[in-house]
């Protein structure tokens, strides 16, 4: 048993080394695609705004009714809302939490979906039946009624907790897709040769299966970030997450509920909406660029 454990650990380390070496070699190839570069640059700008924006433009939460509904100016680039708060600084303050939710949600979704998908597809048998039964349950349960039920019981205060809730209804589809790909790949000749040569499961999984589904995993990570933004706005609206005036969804909802007959409310509504659209376009471009670069089915022979 100790020898098997040691061999598994050594195979894992060897596979990890090969993976990072291949990643380094592939980085130049990945960023040769224009869509990838454009999407990466736009997302990089969002990250820079989230890190340095609050330091340069600190947000003041105090209300100032005497200066409500001010038009855009040098002092208030996006104007002020119905409580006199600077909308530009609100947007910058909310960027960090939005990106945290997107990243954590994508991370949890990909980790759970990939691990369970590979285990289910490669091992088969009882493990496959159990995992697929759980997956089908999550795929069949509508998320919105559950969010409403949870909203009556708890209130989420941390981005990482909100990300976990979002990923609960995101991993199942990825798990099933990974399982199907693994079941197809494991029947190919190079996997059969590995088995005939009595190579370990760790070698087959980490050196043979995982590299062949890596492009699909990378694309789904980016798409999961995109979907998490939309989901977080909906969750904020149903009351499951604690109210945060800097959240882009909360800014949109406040502008809507205070009357779109007011021109400034329409402006306030448009700023986070445009930010969400730009973020989603960037993630789509990055995902499409990665797909064109990494997906072997799209390569011209």
């Amino acid at each position: 048993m100790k020898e098997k454990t040691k061999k598994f650990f050594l195979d894992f380390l060897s596979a990890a080394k090969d993976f990072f070496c291949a990643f380094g070699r592939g980085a130049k190839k990945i960023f040769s695609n224009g869509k990838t570069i454009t999407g990466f640059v736009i997302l990089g700008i969002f990250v820079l705004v989230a890190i340095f924006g609050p330091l340069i433009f600190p947000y003041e939460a105090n209300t100032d009714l005497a200066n409500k509904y001010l038009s855009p100016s040098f002092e208030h680039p996006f104007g002020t809302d119905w409580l006199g708060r600077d909308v530009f600084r609100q947007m910058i303050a909310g960027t960090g939490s939005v990106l945290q939710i997107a990243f954590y949600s994508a991370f949890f979704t990909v980790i759970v979906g990939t691990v369970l998908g590979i285990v289910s597809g490669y091992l088969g048998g009882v493990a496959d039946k159990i995992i697929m039964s759980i997956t089908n349950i999550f795929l069949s349960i509508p998320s919105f009624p559950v969010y409403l039920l949870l909203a009556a019981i708890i209130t989420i205060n941390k981005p990482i907790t909100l990300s976990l809730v979002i990923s609960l209804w995101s991993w199942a589809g990825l798990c099933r897709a990974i399982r199907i790909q693994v079941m197809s790949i494991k029947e190919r000749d190079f996997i059969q040769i590995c088995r005939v040569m009595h190579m370990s499961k760790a070698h087959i999984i980490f050196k043979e299966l995982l590299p062949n589904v890596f492009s699909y995993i990378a694309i789904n990570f980016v798409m999961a970030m995109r979907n998490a933004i939309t989901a977080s706005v909906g969750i904020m609206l149903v009351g499951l997450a604690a109210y945060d005036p800097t959240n882009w969804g909360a800014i949109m909802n406040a502008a809507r509920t205070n009357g779109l007959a007011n021109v400034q409310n329409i402006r306030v509504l448009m700023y986070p909406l445009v930010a969400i659209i730009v973020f989603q376009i960037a993630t789509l471009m990055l995902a499409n660029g990665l797909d064109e670069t990494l997906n072997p089915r799209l390569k011209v022979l």
Side-chain angles (χ1 to χ4, degrees), residues 23 31 74 89-90 103 116 123 164 170 190 216 219 248 254 264 271 288-289 295 300:
F23 181 81
F31 287 101
F74 180 78
R89 294 172 186 262
Q90 272 185 307
F103 176 81
L116 293 181
L123 295 182
L164 284 169
S170 304
F190 67 94
Y216 188 79
I219 294 163
W248 294 352
Q264 180 58 15
Y271 295 132
N288 289 336
N295 192 341
V300 179

Side-chain angles (χ1 to χ4, degrees), residues 157-185:
N157 296 305
K158 297 182 179 179
I160 191 168
T161 308
L162 180 56
S163 302
L164 284 169
V165 172
I166 294 173
S167 63
L168 277 176
W169 274 267
S170 304
W171 67 268
L174 177 62
C175 174
R176 176 175 283 184
I178 294 291
R179 170 183 175 267
I180 293 172
Q181 293 201 24
V182 169
M183 290 178 69
S184 173
I185 295 171

Side-chain angles (χ1 to χ4, degrees), residues 52-60 74-75 77 86 88-90 92-93:
F52 300 107
L55 300 177
I56 302 173
F57 303 100
Y59 171 65
E60 178 58 58
F74 180 78
E75 184 179 0
D86 188 286
F88 177 72
R89 294 172 186 262
Q90 272 185 307
I92 290 178

Side-chain angles (χ1 to χ4, degrees), residues 20-266:
F20 284 111
C21 289
F23 181 81
R25 292 192 300 268
K28 183 178 179 180
K29 182 179 179 181
I30 289 173
F31 287 101
S32 64
N33 184 285
K35 292 180 182 179
T36 304
I37 295 174
T38 303
F40 184 82
V41 168
I42 295 175
L43 292 179
I45 293 173
F46 275 100
V47 173
L48 292 176
V49 169
I51 296 173
F52 300 107
L55 300 177
I56 302 173
F57 303 100
Y59 171 65
E60 178 58 58
N62 294 333
T63 60
D64 184 8
L65 295 177
N67 291 312
K68 67 179 182 179
Y69 292 137
L70 293 181
S71 299
S73 62
F74 180 78
E75 184 179 0
H76 305 289
F78 290 173
T80 60
D81 65 3
W82 62 291
L83 291 176
R85 296 171 298 195
D86 188 286
V87 179
F88 177 72
R89 294 172 186 262
Q90 272 185 307
M91 290 285 299
I92 290 178
T95 303
S97 63
V98 167
L99 294 184
Q100 285 184 58
I101 292 169
F103 176 81
Y104 287 137
S105 178
F107 178 78
F108 295 138
T109 297
V110 166
I111 291 297
V112 176
T114 301
V115 171
L116 293 181
I118 290 177
V119 170
S120 178
Y122 181 72
L123 295 182
V126 177
D128 181 38
K129 291 180 180 178
I130 294 174
I131 293 174
M132 281 299 99
S133 296
I134 297 172
T135 300
N136 291 333
I137 290 173
F138 277 92
L139 287 174
S140 61
I141 298 176
S143 59
F144 186 71
V146 177
Y147 290 154
L148 290 177
L149 178 62
L150 291 174
I153 302 173
I154 61 173
T155 299
I156 297 174
N157 296 305
K158 297 182 179 179
I160 191 168
T161 308
L162 180 56
S163 302
L164 284 169
V165 172
I166 294 173
S167 63
L168 277 176
W169 274 267
S170 304
W171 67 268
L174 177 62
C175 174
R176 176 175 283 184
I178 294 291
R179 170 183 175 267
I180 293 172
Q181 293 201 24
V182 169
M183 290 178 69
S184 173
I185 295 171
K186 76 175 184 179
E187 300 301 327
R188 297 181 183 177
D189 292 340
F190 67 94
I191 299 294
Q192 299 302 323
I193 292 172
C194 291
R195 288 175 175 169
V196 171
M197 296 176 66
H198 301 289
M199 292 184 176
S200 67
K201 291 181 178 179
H203 174 91
I204 295 174
I205 291 174
F206 294 111
K207 285 194 173 183
E208 306 297 340
L209 292 177
L210 194 56
N212 278 279
V213 297
F214 175 74
S215 63
Y216 188 79
I217 294 170
I219 294 163
N220 274 271
F221 182 88
V222 176
M223 296 305 294
M225 289 180 62
R226 169 182 171 269
N227 295 333
I229 298 297
T230 306
S232 64
V233 172
I235 288 175
M236 176 69 69
L237 294 180
V238 301
L240 177 56
Y243 178 76
D244 178 6
T246 65
N247 180 277
W248 294 352
I251 295 173
M252 293 170 61
N253 188 47
R256 179 184 62 83
T257 54
N258 282 282
L260 296 181
N262 186 301
V263 175
Q264 180 58 15
N265 276 335
I266 296 177

